[in-house]
Amino acid sequence: MEKKQGFSVLGMIKKVACIDGSSPDSGKGKSEYKSSSNTNKVCHGFHLVEGKSGHDMEDYHFAEYRKKKGHVLGLFAIFDGHLGDRVPSYLKDNLFNNILDEPNFWEDPKAAIKNAYRSTDKLILENSLQLGPGGSTAVTAIVIDGKDLWVANIGDSRAVICRNGVPEQLSVDHEPHVERRRIEKQGGFVTTLPGDVPRVNGQLAVARAFGDENLKAHLSSEPDVCNVRIDSNTQFVILASDGLWKVMNNQEAVDMVKHVKDPQAAAKRLTAEALARKSKDDISCIVIRFG
């Protein structure tokens, strides 16, 4: 988002070659998983770059595989914080657990994801003394048995799927000018100063976010949720913070990595290109490959 300036490379790189039940942030290298008859192969890699903005990195990522109720789940997310890193850190530790703990997750994933996003935001606001006044965007992806993909988001971190070289955006960029009517109906306003982007109450450049207690009356924590089937034409998904999407459109991102089989190399290529295009924001990227 708008809160970070400049850059310096962070050495946070991980490659997990296949579904393997590994824990997040467990180090570098590869691990192998022989897929069963009901599970398609899933691979991922990530790369993060810190902005040189006078504060610590506020982007977080999550990448983990879990076995649950006879299914293999791939859980992936980008959290882009603002006004500190406590809210994205909290989301990394809690959001997926809250989603999977919803009693109706297997029967109605969409309702479960929406409920978990709302309840998690409520908990963040109730603990604002500990978590501070900041907030975070989120884009989450849940891959079930390598066949079924559920994407949800609030804010402007984005998910793009590639099928046969053609991109499709699975998330919604929640921009203030698009939601101006709702924001004004809730007593807020949207300003656009010369040379700047639209902002809620002149402050935040997204219309939906976790946290942000001081703006919450005018912000939404309602996620957009999308479900797609992963078939033989599905190549990969890119999850990234707006530090990437500010300088690159969906087609450019897909074209850049569609022939890169190593997902970690693909993620690193995307962040390197964003830097070359003078992105001054924190840049976080996960590439998930199928088949």
Side-chain angles (χ1 to χ4, degrees), residues 122-188:
K122 185 172 183 287
L123 287 167
I124 290 170
L125 296 174
E126 289 173 351
N127 290 278
S128 60
L129 288 178
Q130 292 79 26
L131 296 176
S136 180
T137 73
V139 59
T140 58
I142 301 176
V143 181
I144 303 175
D145 295 328
K147 298 177 181 178
D148 205 19
L149 171 65
W150 289 89
V151 167
N153 85 294
I154 53 174
D156 55 5
S157 294
R158 188 183 299 174
V160 174
I161 194 169
C162 175
R163 292 190 180 97
N164 291 328
V166 178
E168 178 187 352
Q169 186 169 320
L170 301 180
S171 57
V172 176
D173 295 341
H174 295 129
E175 299 175 342
H177 69 279
V178 175
E179 301 194 29
R180 180 189 297 270
R181 181 173 296 181
R182 175 189 61 77
I183 293 165
E184 291 176 347
K185 189 175 180 180
Q186 293 174 231

Side-chain angles (χ1 to χ4, degrees), residues 37-210:
S37 59
N38 68 334
T39 303
N40 293 331
K41 181 181 175 184
V42 181
C43 311
H44 82 276
F46 65 79
H47 198 240
L48 290 82
V49 179
E50 180 180 359
K52 190 178 179 182
S53 55
H55 59 69
D56 293 335
M57 181 71 154
E58 293 178 335
D59 279 13
Y60 280 73
H61 82 287
F62 188 95
E64 182 177 332
Y65 301 98
R66 296 183 190 174
K67 294 180 180 178
K68 197 173 180 72
K69 292 185 180 286
H71 297 277
V72 178
L73 301 177
L75 308 173
F76 309 97
I78 296 290
F79 304 116
D80 183 355
H82 43 271
L83 295 179
D85 67 349
R86 292 189 218 171
V87 173
S89 176
Y90 179 89
L91 291 168
K92 176 177 178 175
D93 291 340
N94 294 280
L95 182 56
F96 278 116
N97 289 334
N98 293 345
I99 292 172
L100 298 180
D101 285 345
E102 284 286 325
N104 62 335
F105 173 76
W106 294 102
E107 292 74 30
D108 191 349
K110 182 176 182 177
I113 291 167
K114 283 179 172 283
N115 288 341
Y117 265 65
R118 287 192 291 262
S119 64
T120 301
D121 187 55
K122 185 172 183 287
L123 287 167
I124 290 170
L125 296 174
E126 289 173 351
N127 290 278
S128 60
L129 288 178
Q130 292 79 26
L131 296 176
S136 180
T137 73
V139 59
T140 58
I142 301 176
V143 181
I144 303 175
D145 295 328
K147 298 177 181 178
D148 205 19
L149 171 65
W150 289 89
V151 167
N153 85 294
I154 53 174
D156 55 5
S157 294
R158 188 183 299 174
V160 174
I161 194 169
C162 175
R163 292 190 180 97
N164 291 328
V166 178
E168 178 187 352
Q169 186 169 320
L170 301 180
S171 57
V172 176
D173 295 341
H174 295 129
E175 299 175 342
H177 69 279
V178 175
E179 301 194 29
R180 180 189 297 270
R181 181 173 296 181
R182 175 189 61 77
I183 293 165
E184 291 176 347
K185 189 175 180 180
Q186 293 174 231
F189 60 91
V190 176
T191 58
T192 307
L193 297 176
D196 197 10
V197 296
R199 296 177 185 271
V200 178
N201 292 7
Q203 298 176 57
L204 191 63
V206 289
R208 304 189 193 190
F210 285 102

Side-chain angles (χ1 to χ4, degrees), residues 182-242:
R182 175 189 61 77
I183 293 165
E184 291 176 347
K185 189 175 180 180
Q186 293 174 231
F189 60 91
V190 176
T191 58
T192 307
L193 297 176
D196 197 10
V197 296
R199 296 177 185 271
V200 178
N201 292 7
Q203 298 176 57
L204 191 63
V206 289
R208 304 189 193 190
F210 285 102
D212 292 298
E213 182 182 29
N214 294 335
L215 292 173
K216 201 74 230 186
H218 313 131
L219 295 178
S220 172
S221 60
E222 179 79 10
D224 277 283
V225 182
C226 177
N227 174 229
V228 296
R229 290 290 293 175
I230 299 163
D231 58 24
S232 59
N233 296 318
T234 307
Q235 296 166 271
F236 58 89
V237 170
I238 301 169
L239 304 180
S241 61
D242 68 322

